[in-house]
Amino acid sequence: MKILFVKLGAIGDVVQAAIALRCYQMQYPEHEVHWLTSSSLATFVRATGVATKVIEIDEKKILSGPLIPRMLKLLAFSTELGLNGEKYHRIATAYFDWRYRLLTLFSSPKHRISFGIGKRKINLMPHRNRVYEYFRLLSGKDADLNIDIADAGHYIGKVLLDSTIRKESTQYLDALPKGYVVLLPGGAKNMLRTDDLRRWPVGNYRKIAEKLIDAGYAVVLAGGPGDTWVRSTFSDISHIDLIAETDLFELLHLLQKAQCVLVHDTGPLHLTALTQAPLVSLFGPTPSNAFMPIARKDTIILKTGNKVACSPCYDGQNYADCAKARCMDELDVEQVWTSMSILLKDGR
């Protein structure tokens, strides 16, 4: 059986999808899975080894810019994909958004399935781990969910950490002081929207950084090119700034060697989960059950709980009509610092 799996990004979703594909690979080794993903993540997806074939598309060309050029590019890609000679038994599109189904408009599988409500759709369970939901989509049924997510995540992490990184990257990672702590104050954005409701206030990260410095730890700031806005908050305190300085593989190695990592629900959270680094993760509008790996060691999950009645509100598509994430504000600095201190005290 040959399956086409459609998941372009973002990195957190791709990490969880890769774990699901590893579970599927172990349960159905005779099946061939092709993965359609964004060009920016194709190298990362290939490195996981969970797909027989990786198909790339430049996501920016179909999701940003004037409507008509975007539609023409999308239809051109769909036509080319339909004419490439591949015959799929199932096309599994891991989206609610109908636009992503247009990518395979001219392919002719026996079965199509996507997230949603109705015929040929799987209704995503918002509070169940996303790895299970991706696995349901791949298999097309609710049965056979006896999968080992922890083992699959460990496998993906080991494979990616074994990937070669640039020589100059190895040098600067090796030059970092021992016992550094990584803070990731940015993130929570993708091509279609910025999910700033997920973020813990950047000023709180600053307060944690000050406590770490006072305790003798080196503070490393990390993140992607879109996270440079956080720099001004830390400009007058001692820290190592690696924001926009690492690719995904280098970031993974940076996280692996950290004494502790502090991050809210964003892509680097899922990368950290693939490592053995002690982790403090912060949740408000999103359900931690859906996004945190199962049975991970040295992990503390902090969430608002019953302090805010509407948390978590994310249903897999949208958030509550909320101008400011009170649920994230309720996570106070002392609570976070106490949790980090526990993990730092245990050491590595």
Side-chain angles (χ1 to χ4, degrees):
M1 183 188 297
K2 190 182 294 185
I3 297 170
L4 177 62
F5 178 67
V6 181
K7 188 63 181 177
L8 276 59
I11 184 59
D13 297 326
V14 164
V15 168
Q16 289 192 292
I19 295 171
L21 261 72
R22 171 60 181 172
C23 292
Y24 189 87
Q25 189 180 56
M26 294 301 292
Q27 196 160 125
Y28 303 101
E30 72 280 8
H31 292 185
E32 186 175 335
V33 179
H34 296 184
W35 187 336
L36 171 55
T37 191
S38 63
S39 300
S40 61
L41 292 174
T43 300
F44 183 88
V45 169
R46 287 191 181 94
T48 65
V50 297
T52 312
K53 180 179 180 181
V54 177
I55 304 167
E56 302 179 32
I57 185 170
D58 188 340
E59 195 174 9
K60 291 180 181 178
K61 290 183 178 179
I62 62 168
L63 293 179
S64 61
L67 177 61
I68 293 176
R70 282 192 288 128
M71 292 303 295
L72 289 174
K73 286 174 179 133
L74 190 153
L75 291 172
F77 176 86
S78 181
T79 301
E80 182 180 354
L81 183 66
L83 295 174
N84 70 2
E86 299 284 4
K87 300 296 182 183
Y88 295 110
H89 179 81
R90 181 184 306 119
I91 294 181
T93 304
Y95 291 97
F96 289 91
D97 192 329
W98 61 270
R99 288 174 291 180
Y100 290 95
R101 296 198 292 274
L102 295 179
L103 291 168
T104 60
L105 181 64
F106 298 112
S107 299
S108 301
K110 288 186 178 180
H111 304 282
R112 290 181 182 271
I113 193 165
S114 62
F115 287 134
I117 298 174
K119 189 177 180 181
R120 295 183 302 194
K121 292 182 173 64
I122 281 185
N123 188 18
L124 183 144
M125 297 183 181
H127 291 258
R128 187 156 70 174
N129 194 280
R130 286 291 183 273
V131 175
Y132 283 116
E133 301 305 276
Y134 290 132
F135 188 90
R136 288 173 64 210
L137 196 69
L138 284 161
S139 62
K141 53 188 176 181
D142 286 335
D144 302 323
L145 285 182
N146 184 25
I147 56 177
D148 192 337
I149 292 179
D151 182 70
H154 177 75
Y155 172 86
I156 296 292
K158 185 177 185 307
V159 167
L160 292 172
L161 284 165
D162 285 343
S163 299
T164 303
I165 61 174
R166 296 175 299 173
K167 183 178 179 181
E168 55 268 31
S169 302
T170 302
Q171 291 173 343
Y172 80 66
L173 287 173
D174 289 342
L176 288 173
K178 290 185 178 180
Y180 64 82
V181 176
V182 177
L183 307 183
L184 294 134
K189 88 171 43 171
N190 57 45
M191 279 293 298
L192 293 179
R193 67 181 177 189
T194 297
D195 290 342
D196 50 3
L197 292 176
R198 299 186 184 202
R199 293 182 187 139
W200 199 43
V202 67
N204 288 352
Y205 277 99
R206 154 80 185 231
K207 292 173 183 176
I208 291 294
E210 291 172 344
K211 288 179 178 292
L212 286 165
I213 293 166
D214 289 345
Y217 293 99
V219 174
V220 176
L221 295 183
D227 298 328
T228 55
W229 61 272
V230 309
R231 283 176 169 157
S232 59
T233 304
F234 301 85
S235 60
D236 61 340
I237 62 173
S238 176
H239 69 281
I240 300 166
D241 184 358
L242 292 181
I243 295 173
E245 296 294 331
T246 62
D247 63 23
L248 292 174
F249 297 98
E250 293 157 354
L251 179 57
L252 194 68
H253 282 264
L254 173 72
L255 296 168
Q256 166 70 5
K257 295 181 180 181
Q259 192 76 13
C260 186
V261 177
L262 174 65
V263 61
H264 47 257
D265 182 16
T266 182
L269 168 69
H270 301 280
L271 289 175
T272 307
L274 296 175
T275 73
Q276 281 74 55
L279 168 64
V280 175
S281 57
L282 311 176
F283 283 85
T286 53
S288 59
N289 287 354
F291 298 106
M292 278 303 295
I294 294 172
R296 188 183 190 274
K297 295 180 180 179
D298 297 323
T299 302
I300 296 177
I301 301 170
L302 297 178
K303 49 190 176 181
T304 307
N306 60 6
K307 291 182 182 178
V308 179
C310 57
S311 172
C313 63
Y314 185 63
D315 64 0
Q317 298 182 77
N318 299 304
Y319 301 89
D321 186 10
C322 182
K324 193 173 188 299
R326 184 183 156 211
C327 54
M328 294 304 288
D329 291 343
E330 286 289 334
L331 297 172
D332 66 80
V333 170
E334 290 305 319
Q335 179 186 14
V336 173
W337 175 242
T338 298
S339 297
M340 294 184 73
S341 298
I342 292 169
L343 295 178
L344 288 166
K345 182 180 179 181
D346 290 344
R348 293 189 69 188

